[in-house]
Amino acid sequence: MTAFYLAGALFLLANVVVALARVLRGPTAADRMLSGALMGTTAVAVLLLLYGATGIEALIDVALIFAILAAMAVVTFVRRTWPEDADEDRPREEP
Amino acid sequence: MHPVEMLFDALLLLSMVVLAWQGVHARNLFRAVVSFMMFGLLTAVAWVRLEAPDIALAEAALGAGLTGALLLATLGRLDQGGRATRLRTTFMRFSLPWMALGLAGTTLLLAVTLALPAPGLDEAVLRAMPAAGVDSPVTAVLLNFRAWDTLLEIAVMLLAVVALWSLGQDVLASTPRLPAPALPALVRLLFPLFLLSTFYLLWRGGHGPGGAFPAGALLAAGLVLALLAGARVPERMTGAPLRCALAAGLLAFLMVAVGVMADRGVFFAYPPQHAPILIAMVEIAAGLSIGVMLTALFLGGEPTDVEGGPS
Amino acid sequence: MSALAGVVLIVMGLLFFLSGTVGLLRFPDVFTRLHAISKADTLALGLVCAGLALHADYGALQLKLLLIWLLVIVSGATCSSLIARAALAHGIRPWQR
């Protein structure tokens, strides 16, 4: 059973590494942010599977913290980095 | 070690190196920030793999919450011109000697790590645990055996807030209009959970992974989320009450440290029968105060009265 | 029996994670990619949580797993809406065939 959980965690990690291509390619800031969101969800799942493999209960708490904070980055992004009424002619993306 | 475990660790290490490199060298600042945030998530997983759930908890609370918020908010205040590119070209010219230096430093660190005695201070800590007043060895080290270090860390954070407040105005002065009603609704739903998990971590710190630092980081994340959703610092809180909350952790710490001198005349020598309650007091005061200090760092200046925003 | 069901649920969850990544990489614009992230990944995490809950042996743990999933649902849905609005406001036109 341990091997199954570990293999699952490895699969998810490989999955998210492939998704990193979206951070590199963009093209907009929102696209890069999306891969950040994917990484957050995947990290929760990886921690849960590692809990299954090791039985360390604190891992569930770490996953819970990740889940509570899941909205944090996107909310800051939308409110501060990329606000709706920002000056349109100021370039906020790639030079 | 299981072969799948080794593969997992190798892939984790590799992606962390790639993300760290992206975080420093990406051409686009936003890409660098996102890479750094992802690096933080993977760091928490790495601490889990190193069987250090306490540090994983702190890294999760800080890395997934406040660090990203601070960087993204800073990015929003920057004028994104060609400065990043220029920085990179000058950096690249010197990169070869830097790489050699980095390689030499890493090799030296590795050699030192391998030369250290393997079990470290585990045994000394475990021997002293009966007198610690708490069940968790990590909390015992942080708030009893090495409480002096923690006291100074909190003092450094307070100094950082003071320095930041002397620099300029808070960020809320330029908050754009609310994007959607969904955001305040989300925060109204989440905020009680943030408070609940803050106190859960504070309570848990006595006997397991948890404690003042992750609890404070979660509290700060909740407060920052509320500020981002349009909440304001209430006017009657801005003056003395806010300053008291900022200093509360340091003051409680100092009062306990000096107060216990009445017993044996030694700074920070908790009398064993009172240690649990004293440590709990310090932990709660420090946790709440760390939360307020981190929020103040996000604000980036002393909160000013905002012109009639929703509270 | 429940152990086997748990394994099946987790494997299904992993496949949905894979489909989320494929969508993130292959879909043409940010609005379509939002679907891949918010729908596939939230479901995937739910399946993994359900699978682990079947393997868990006491109630508090299962409640925590449920809480994790609910939190990710709520955050995911709100964040998708926020990103889509921001992208529209920045003049990104939805992709049309």
Side-chain angles (χ1 to χ4, degrees):
Chain A
M1 211 54 195
T2 309
F4 166 71
Y5 284 127
L6 282 173
L10 177 64
F11 175 83
L12 284 183
L13 191 62
N15 190 32
V16 89
V17 168
V18 174
L20 283 182
R22 189 45 78 192
V23 182
L24 299 183
R25 280 210 309 218
T28 66
D31 291 299
R32 301 187 205 282
M33 208 62 223
L34 279 187
S35 13
L38 171 77
M39 181 75 119
T41 325
T42 309
V44 173
V46 167
L47 285 169
L48 292 179
L49 290 176
L50 285 180
Y51 162 76
T54 59
I56 305 173
E57 247 182 75
L59 299 197
I60 298 281
D61 286 347
V62 181
L64 200 56
I65 289 184
F66 271 152
I68 286 188
L69 294 171
M72 194 77 192
V74 171
V75 171
T76 324
F77 167 69
V78 169
R79 294 286 280 150
R80 293 259 142 232
T81 321
W82 223 45
E84 280 184 19
D85 47 2
D87 218 355
E88 281 302 329
D89 35 63
R90 221 169 87 186
R92 293 220 156 233
E93 245 327 288
E94 329 260 356
Chain B
M1 202 193 240
H2 202 282
V4 185
E5 260 178 276
M6 279 166 79
L7 258 176
F8 182 87
D9 290 349
L11 189 59
L12 185 64
L13 210 60
L14 188 73
S15 39
M16 281 176 75
V17 169
V18 170
L19 282 173
W21 171 68
Q22 277 292 312
V24 177
H25 271 288
R27 214 173 337 113
N28 172 309
L29 272 184
F30 185 74
R31 196 163 103 190
V33 167
V34 171
S35 301
F36 184 75
M37 283 160 56
M38 291 178 155
F39 178 78
L41 294 182
L42 288 188
T43 311
V45 178
W47 284 119
V48 165
R49 291 295 303 143
L50 291 169
E51 292 173 21
D54 297 84
I55 310 178
L57 211 62
E59 175 63 40
L62 276 170
L66 216 70
T67 315
L70 279 173
L71 287 171
L72 285 172
T74 310
L75 204 56
R77 292 177 103 180
L78 286 180
D79 198 23
Q80 301 200 346
R83 186 177 268 170
T85 333
R86 228 176 28 245
L87 187 72
R88 183 167 173 271
T89 41
T90 46
F91 198 74
M92 282 309 275
R93 202 184 311 154
F94 299 109
S95 65
L96 204 65
W98 282 119
M99 266 161 87
L101 203 64
L103 208 64
T106 317
T107 319
L108 197 68
L109 270 180
L110 193 68
V112 170
T113 314
L114 289 179
L116 281 174
L121 293 170
D122 287 14
E123 279 179 34
V125 169
L126 288 180
R127 258 203 316 277
M129 276 309 288
V134 284
D135 298 334
S136 156
V138 176
T139 310
V141 170
L142 284 179
L143 292 179
N144 193 342
F145 308 147
R146 302 293 302 171
W148 176 239
D149 294 353
T150 314
L151 174 74
L152 288 185
E153 277 164 25
I154 292 180
V156 166
M157 269 176 84
L158 190 61
L159 274 180
V161 174
V162 171
L164 197 68
W165 273 18
S166 60
L167 285 180
Q169 238 197 344
D170 67 346
V171 291
L172 291 180
S174 65
T175 300
R177 76 187 147 80
L178 270 180
L183 181 55
L186 174 77
V187 174
R188 265 197 293 276
L189 198 66
L190 285 184
F191 194 70
L193 279 174
F194 271 104
L195 288 185
L196 182 66
S197 41
T198 300
F199 283 99
Y200 170 71
L201 286 180
L202 278 177
W203 164 76
R204 186 121 170 93
H207 52 271
F213 276 95
L218 260 190
L219 179 64
L223 290 172
V224 166
L225 209 56
L227 289 173
L228 287 172
R232 288 287 166 272
V233 187
E235 207 174 312
R236 60 189 144 78
M237 297 287 290
T238 45
L242 183 58
R243 284 155 197 260
C244 286
L246 284 171
L250 188 64
L251 286 180
F253 230 131
L254 271 179
M255 265 156 54
V256 168
V258 175
V260 293
M261 285 176 79
D263 186 45
R264 264 184 289 172
V266 185
F267 195 62
F268 258 132
Y270 302 120
Q273 71 274 24
H274 296 309
I277 182 75
L278 288 175
I279 289 180
M281 270 167 50
V282 168
E283 179 122 59
I284 291 172
L288 299 182
S289 180
I290 287 171
V292 181
M293 284 194 281
L294 289 174
T295 316
L297 287 178
F298 175 83
L299 278 176
E302 189 170 1
T304 45
D305 291 338
V306 185
E307 58 299 343
S311 63
Chain C
M1 188 57 211
S2 76
L4 182 67
V7 168
V8 171
L9 283 176
I10 290 178
V11 168
M12 278 169 67
L14 296 182
L15 290 179
F16 270 104
F17 266 117
L18 178 66
S19 71
T21 302
V22 171
L24 182 70
L25 292 180
R26 298 290 302 151
F27 281 172
D29 73 345
V30 63
F31 302 100
T32 46
R33 285 176 205 138
L34 270 173
H35 287 284
I37 294 300
S38 60
K39 292 201 181 74
D41 280 10
T42 311
L43 179 60
L45 188 68
L47 288 170
V48 170
C49 283
L52 273 166
L54 282 181
H55 290 175
D57 45 3
Y58 69 104
L61 191 65
Q62 288 155 349
L63 277 182
K64 274 189 187 172
L65 288 170
L66 182 67
L67 182 62
I68 288 176
W69 189 40
L70 289 179
L71 280 168
V72 169
I73 291 178
V74 172
S75 305
T78 317
C79 289
S80 304
S81 142
L82 289 176
I83 288 187
R85 283 182 62 110
L88 261 186
H90 280 264
I92 299 174
R93 295 269 71 86
W95 171 81
Q96 278 170 344
R97 194 192 298 275

